[in-house]
Amino acid sequence: MSQGPELIITEKDNAARRIAEILSGGSAESERRRGVNVYTWGGRRCIGLSGHVVGVDFPPEYDDWRDVEPVELIDAPIDKRPTQENIVSVLRLLARKAGRVVIATDYDREGELIGKEAYELVREVNDDVRIDRVRFSSITEREVKSAFENPDDLDFDLAAAGEARQIVDLVWGAALTRFLSLSARQLGDDFISVGRVQGPTLKLIVDREREIEAFDPEDYWELFADLAKRGGGADGTFEAQYFYCDDDGTEAERVTEEDAASEAYETLEAAATATVESVRRRTRTDDPPAPFNTTQFIRAAGSLGYSAQRAMSIAEDLYTAGYVTYPRTDNTVYPDDLDPRELLDAFVGTRQFGDDADALLEQDDIDPTEGDEETTDHPPIHPTGELPGAADLDDDEWEVYELVVRRFFATVAEPATWEHLRVVATVGADEGADLSLKANGKRLVEPGYHAVYPYSSASESFVPDVAEGEALAITDTSFEAKQTQPPRRYGQSRLIETMEDLGVGTKSTRHNVIQKLYDRGYIESDPPRPTRLARAVVEASEEFAERIVSEEMTAQLEADMQAITRGDADLEDVTTESREMLSEVFEGLMESGEAVGDHLRESLKADRTVGACPECGSDLVIRQSRQGSYFIGCDAYPECTNTLPLPSTGKPLLLEETCAEHGLAHVKMLAGRKTFVHGCPLCQAEAADAQADRVIGTCPDCGVGAASETPRDGGGGGAEAGGELAIKQLRSGSRLVGCTRYPECEYSLPLPRRGEIEVTDAACEEHDLPELRVVYDDDREPWDLGCPICNYREYQAEQGGGSELESVTGIGEKTAEKLQDAGIDDVSSLKEAEPDAVADRVDGVGPDTVREWQAKAD
DNA sequence: GCAAGGTC
């Protein structure tokens, strides 16, 4: 045995840092090697991986989709390759010299596999070092120390279960994805993908859409009366609803026969009073919610308007900054070592949470709620007690942080108490035409957790105190004709909850799967609706590869993985059987390949068809020019050359809604946060044609007396050519201030897409142009845009703010800030920088990344 | 350029 230092390997850097801190008693030092943190103390070193650092894939000779028959992938070999080169190389370096290795990855199946990957990398360079495995369910001093005192061996069966999943997913996913893409001749960026998790998720959405379409609404009627307590004034009035008991004695409000409804209404309308028949009071407690797991967090953030993806991205940022715990967890039970009082103490004295924390601390005992799921890897999401400063978070981050804090507050708060009051009154009993009305009142007596958690509804409904036998005046009645409604579409959070119920996907992947469905053109809008392509993919799968769109495949795989874990089966058994099954699927598919392809292609075209061409009656479809910009062209091209332009920003999406005048589908332009609805492309073009250019001054590039100094390059014919500046509306929907000599002079300034542009009497002295104002047709304040040249300069200054660097390298604002901190504030200093030196100084950036940036800058 | 699973 060698005498080198002990090497501890964790699943992520964050865990490495905390374990080093615990085991070293705070004395560990951190150094960066190739952008990877290594923590060192005593005779020990600790390094964090980044989840899987190796990935499974087919060998390179299988890379060309057209060269390899998809069916060949079923029995193709599978390689494991490093995917995180930097981490792998640092790991190898340290492992070579290690005297002992301890694998401390997460305590779950995937963690065991990640541990085994590390094990194999260590073994490649050091074949006799002792390799131990430690397991702990939370990174606390007690658990970590005890785990390191009782090391165990890696569970190779558990890891093999994970490997079986990798292989089955790759083989099924790749073979079927390539088959569908090839048969529809969809290669390149818009390939047609299917997989074990996205398949059933898409089918959920498609099935719901089928139910909605097949839904046959039924008419029904409901009757209401306003009842007033005598002498109670306006405050004593409340609404009651007609009800009856149906044949099996259950209470019903909906009347399905119009005659019966009318007859009841006649009685109600004729009556002046209703007599209280019964009054029932009940006290109900309303328990506070369970701690947040990922799914419930996403759901709560969803009700604040965040998409699943966005909610998780914010939570990850808050986690990295140290304000909340790890956001990927299934656990809904706080661990024993979480002391709620101690955590509440952290909020005492703060402006936003101080009062609530004080109030909670005054409770006699604090007993947090618990959910059904108790796992051991990570705690439920809760605040860490480290508080962000006022400037540390933007508005969205703050809103999500507050949600997490308040959820924690709610879980340690008292239940709420409601008083329910149910009043039943009868009408027309004297005349023998007995008719019942009911009203349910709800009053919050003890707010309990609602006082600290305003996100769940605590709305009251008023019903006054009345006594049995009391006569109430009927002050108003209504007769409402309604229809049963189709089932509702899944919202993103509901979809994630359903996936969790079915066991499809994991806490870390479910939100990404939904995003992937959007990116692949399978769903659009929110709540998501399936595209024609999605239906075609589900239909084809149902016919030939039902497993790939059914949650059964996951259930079966889960059972197989458990068998491997128990030692009742091995990886070979499971993958062989799965490959045989896939071979059978392919027999059917290959026979019908052409029909499947035709169907997919028709659906793709349907997703792009805007409507009938007004010139020739063929289809108008969305096309892409060679330069990559989108436009609408006629399917009969070149016989028909009719085209309509589309806005230059974003990717077009056709909406269900069509234009009443032209019958064309409305267009939405997807551009992240700048997404907007373009509407009917023909209406836009016609509006532009009808809108005369409004001249507002001389063109600074080519107008009479044009100054030589201009804010931007024009292609103009030089000064004195007589160009004028005008407000123009283009057929693509864009608006701008541009030269009347276009296209000879290309001088232009952008204008906002929305609102009506007014030319005011005020003028800009510098540019001799009138100031503009944008007026909106809703209740928004008008926007004083001012001189268009000054406005554009300000806009550019805002956009560009220090960031040639950002636009050249494509890095985000935050990375740019970090680079600036490291002394790199422009492109030239980036080019001169030493990649390793940059990687050492900038967190989360490796030397390879720096080299990539440098390549882009060149 | 395929999947799903880790992590950033």
Side-chain angles (χ1 to χ4, degrees):
Chain A
M1 268 247 292
S2 45
Q3 287 300 303
E6 176 176 313
L7 174 62
I8 299 164
I9 303 167
T10 69
E11 189 153 322
K12 46 191 166 282
D13 175 59
N14 207 289
R17 202 192 66 236
R18 289 169 60 199
I19 285 169
E21 203 172 291
I22 289 170
L23 294 180
S24 71
S27 71
E29 305 231 323
S30 147
E31 57 166 325
R32 277 181 85 79
R33 292 210 190 175
R34 304 194 184 190
V36 184
N37 291 327
V38 179
Y39 303 90
T40 311
W41 71 101
R44 285 171 148 178
R45 285 164 164 181
C46 186
I47 179 179
L49 307 176
S50 181
H52 292 287
V53 293
V54 296
V56 290
D57 209 346
F58 300 109
E61 58 268 32
Y62 290 85
D63 279 356
D64 193 329
W65 292 32
R66 275 159 304 197
D67 257 14
V68 180
E69 287 286 342
V71 68
E72 290 178 52
L73 294 178
I74 300 176
D75 292 306
I78 291 174
D79 290 344
K80 253 188 205 182
R81 274 174 256 176
T83 49
Q84 305 271 359
E85 307 264 7
N86 280 355
I87 296 176
V88 168
S89 65
V90 177
L91 179 61
R92 285 194 176 121
L93 212 70
L94 300 176
R96 207 167 280 138
K97 292 179 251 165
R100 183 189 174 210
V101 172
V102 182
I103 290 171
T105 48
D106 285 1
Y107 186 9
D108 53 24
R109 182 165 56 217
E110 217 62 36
E112 207 70 16
L113 176 53
I114 291 165
K116 192 205 162 198
E117 289 160 3
Y119 174 97
E120 285 176 342
L121 291 166
V122 171
R123 274 283 171 262
E124 278 176 26
V125 296
N126 193 334
D127 53 18
D128 61 354
V129 67
R130 174 174 158 191
I131 304 177
D132 287 322
R133 163 76 160 135
V134 290
R135 297 187 178 83
F136 42 84
S137 28
S138 60
I139 308 182
T140 59
E141 179 153 349
R142 187 168 50 85
E143 288 216 33
V144 169
K145 284 192 167 161
S146 127
F148 274 81
E149 280 159 19
N150 303 288
D152 195 1
D153 291 325
L154 207 59
D155 182 344
F156 288 92
D157 286 338
L158 184 57
E163 285 184 285
R165 179 201 56 71
Q166 288 185 316
I167 293 166
V168 169
D169 281 340
L170 174 64
V171 172
W172 280 74
L176 289 173
T177 294
R178 285 198 195 178
F179 183 89
L180 293 183
S181 304
L182 282 162
S183 69
R185 292 198 282 278
Q186 281 285 290
L187 301 177
D189 289 343
D190 292 324
F191 59 87
I192 296 173
S193 81
V194 282
R196 176 180 55 85
V197 172
Q198 50 171 305
T201 307
L202 192 57
K203 183 167 153 63
L204 282 175
I205 299 171
V206 169
D207 278 345
R208 180 57 57 88
E209 206 68 19
R210 288 166 168 165
E211 281 174 53
I212 293 171
E213 270 162 25
F215 185 79
D216 191 9
E218 278 172 20
D219 294 323
Y220 68 88
W221 291 265
E222 287 182 330
L223 283 58
F224 298 90
D226 284 350
L227 304 181
K229 201 172 153 69
R230 293 257 161 92
D235 292 347
T237 303
F238 61 103
E239 188 184 70
Q241 182 172 18
Y242 164 73
F243 76 101
Y244 60 97
C245 286
D246 66 11
D247 299 342
D248 43 338
T250 48
E251 213 174 86
E253 299 83 32
R254 297 177 174 187
V255 185
T256 51
E257 303 293 329
E258 186 168 15
D259 291 349
S262 305
E263 198 180 311
Y265 188 64
E266 274 169 30
T267 307
L268 182 61
E269 225 186 354
T273 60
T275 311
V276 176
E277 189 187 271
S278 70
V279 177
R280 197 173 67 198
R281 276 199 178 75
R282 276 190 197 177
T283 303
R284 288 262 163 86
T285 55
D286 161 15
D287 289 328
F292 266 152
N293 63 6
T294 302
T295 302
Q296 292 309 312
F297 161 73
I298 287 174
R299 174 185 158 142
S303 67
L304 296 176
Y306 294 93
S307 73
Q309 184 84 337
R310 176 94 181 115
M312 282 308 284
S313 150
I314 294 175
E316 279 156 17
D317 288 345
L318 293 172
Y319 160 71
T320 311
Y323 304 129
V324 305
T325 57
Y326 195 62
R328 296 184 274 260
T329 178
D330 287 326
N331 196 356
T332 48
V333 180
Y334 293 128
D336 293 339
D337 62 277
L338 181 103
D339 180 350
R341 284 191 186 274
E342 201 179 303
L343 187 49
L344 282 171
D345 269 333
F347 295 95
V348 169
T350 63
R351 190 169 57 81
Q352 298 89 350
F353 304 115
D355 292 347
D356 289 333
D358 285 336
L360 290 167
L361 281 164
E362 274 171 28
Q363 301 176 111
D364 291 337
D365 50 13
I366 293 182
D367 186 19
T369 56
E370 296 186 353
D372 294 333
E373 187 79 5
E374 183 167 12
T375 61
T376 49
D377 45 358
H378 300 286
I381 307 170
H382 65 78
T384 56
E386 174 150 343
L387 272 80
D392 292 332
L393 303 183
D394 66 26
D395 290 354
D396 287 359
E397 288 167 336
W398 175 262
E399 194 175 21
V400 171
Y401 176 69
E402 179 167 6
L403 172 68
V404 174
V405 173
R406 293 197 170 282
R407 179 64 161 223
F408 164 68
F409 284 2
T411 61
V412 297
E414 303 279 357
T417 309
W418 293 86
E419 189 178 74
H420 289 246
L421 175 61
R422 177 186 154 98
V423 172
V424 173
T426 46
V427 171
D430 311 340
E431 290 82 39
D434 201 353
L435 181 151
S436 300
L437 297 169
K438 65 172 176 184
N440 289 303
K442 221 170 90 165
R443 201 163 61 85
L444 190 56
V445 191
E446 284 294 337
Y449 75 93
H450 289 292
V452 294
Y453 193 72
Y455 311 99
S456 62
S457 168
S459 59
E460 304 188 330
S461 56
F462 170 76
V463 169
D465 244 342
V466 291
E468 268 176 40
E470 188 175 339
L472 302 168
I474 299 176
T475 58
D476 195 13
T477 59
S478 65
F479 180 69
E480 296 179 11
K482 296 184 174 176
Q483 282 195 320
T484 53
Q485 295 297 306
R488 286 156 60 108
R489 293 194 174 83
Y490 287 105
Q492 292 190 26
S493 1
R494 195 67 238 296
L495 201 53
I496 287 175
E497 286 180 283
T498 310
M499 290 170 76
E500 190 181 26
D501 292 344
L502 297 175
V504 165
T506 73
K507 58 197 189 255
S508 316
T509 57
R510 290 185 196 112
H511 60 278
N512 294 25
V513 170
I514 292 174
Q515 189 57 44
K516 194 185 268 181
L517 297 181
Y518 278 107
D519 295 344
R520 296 279 155 86
Y522 286 152
I523 55 176
E524 40 104 350
S525 308
D526 193 14
R529 298 156 67 135
T531 59
R532 299 291 290 264
L533 172 65
R535 290 161 189 260
V537 168
V538 170
E539 284 159 15
S541 304
E542 283 170 334
E543 194 171 351
F544 300 102
E546 201 267 335
R547 287 177 71 80
I548 206 74
V549 284
S550 154
E551 71 269 17
E552 305 279 308
M553 184 162 171
T554 293
Q556 179 62 51
L557 188 60
E558 189 60 42
D560 288 342
M561 286 194 287
Q562 280 169 19
I564 297 176
T565 308
R566 286 194 309 266
D568 293 344
D570 62 23
L571 182 144
E572 197 60 29
D573 301 335
V574 168
T575 54
T576 304
E577 196 191 343
S578 175
R579 286 178 158 121
E580 280 165 6
M581 229 177 295
L582 183 57
S583 292
E584 281 170 32
V585 165
F586 260 81
E587 278 173 30
L589 265 178
M590 279 152 75
E591 252 172 55
S592 315
E594 221 160 293
V596 170
D598 288 346
H599 185 30
L600 291 171
R601 274 200 307 281
E602 277 163 28
S603 310
L604 277 161
K605 193 188 159 200
D607 285 334
R608 296 193 335 254
T609 302
V610 186
C613 173
E615 312 233 317
C616 76
S618 298
D619 286 335
L620 281 181
V621 292
I622 293 180
R623 297 191 182 285
Q624 217 171 348
S625 74
R626 277 197 198 85
Q627 291 78 28
S629 57
Y630 294 95
F631 68 98
I632 292 169
C634 183
D635 206 29
Y637 180 85
E639 282 76 45
C640 175
T641 55
N642 190 19
T643 62
L644 288 169
L646 285 172
S648 51
T649 42
K651 192 175 169 177
L653 172 78
L654 295 175
L655 302 178
E656 206 91 334
E657 191 186 351
T658 54
C659 168
E661 194 185 341
H662 305 108
L664 301 182
H666 282 193
V667 183
K668 186 175 183 177
M669 299 302 292
L670 303 178
R673 292 187 177 185
K674 288 185 180 168
T675 295
F676 62 94
V677 174
H678 175 63
C680 166
L682 188 48
C683 288
Q684 288 283 355
E686 286 179 351
D689 293 342
Q691 178 84 50
D693 293 353
R694 281 183 283 170
V695 173
I696 56 169
T698 23
C699 174
D701 259 10
C702 71
V704 175
S708 54
E709 192 203 346
T710 58
R712 43 175 302 178
D713 292 335
E720 310 295 328
E724 288 180 304
L725 275 194
I727 297 175
K728 300 181 174 198
Q729 177 156 1
L730 307 188
R731 304 189 93 224
S732 66
S734 312
R735 293 190 299 189
L736 49 81
V737 168
C739 182
T740 49
R741 288 182 55 253
Y742 180 88
E744 287 89 59
C745 174
E746 289 181 357
Y747 184 88
S748 83
L749 305 161
L751 287 175
R753 190 170 290 278
R754 297 200 178 282
E756 192 186 330
I757 293 162
E758 287 181 357
V759 179
T760 69
D761 293 336
C764 167
E765 288 185 14
E766 188 188 348
H767 302 108
D768 195 23
L769 287 174
E771 292 189 356
L772 305 181
R773 159 185 279 222
V774 188
V775 191
Y776 301 98
D777 56 10
D778 51 24
D779 36 329
R780 265 180 296 173
E781 287 291 301
W783 171 29
D784 285 311
L785 185 144
C787 160
I789 295 182
C790 296
N791 170 266
Y792 186 60
R793 280 190 176 162
E794 283 165 26
Y795 171 78
Q796 277 190 315
E798 266 172 45
Q799 291 291 304
S803 254
E804 189 195 1
L805 202 56
E806 287 170 45
S807 56
V808 168
T809 56
I811 60 173
E813 200 182 327
K814 287 188 180 169
T815 314
E817 278 172 25
K818 287 191 208 168
L819 280 176
Q820 274 175 25
D821 293 342
I824 296 164
D825 44 17
D826 58 16
V827 175
S828 61
S829 53
L830 174 71
K831 283 203 227 171
E832 288 160 16
E834 188 56 50
D836 287 296
V838 178
D840 284 347
R841 272 184 296 168
V842 184
D843 253 11
V845 170
D848 287 343
T849 313
V850 179
R851 278 182 212 108
E852 269 173 42
W853 292 340
Q854 290 176 330
K856 283 187 192 162
D858 276 334

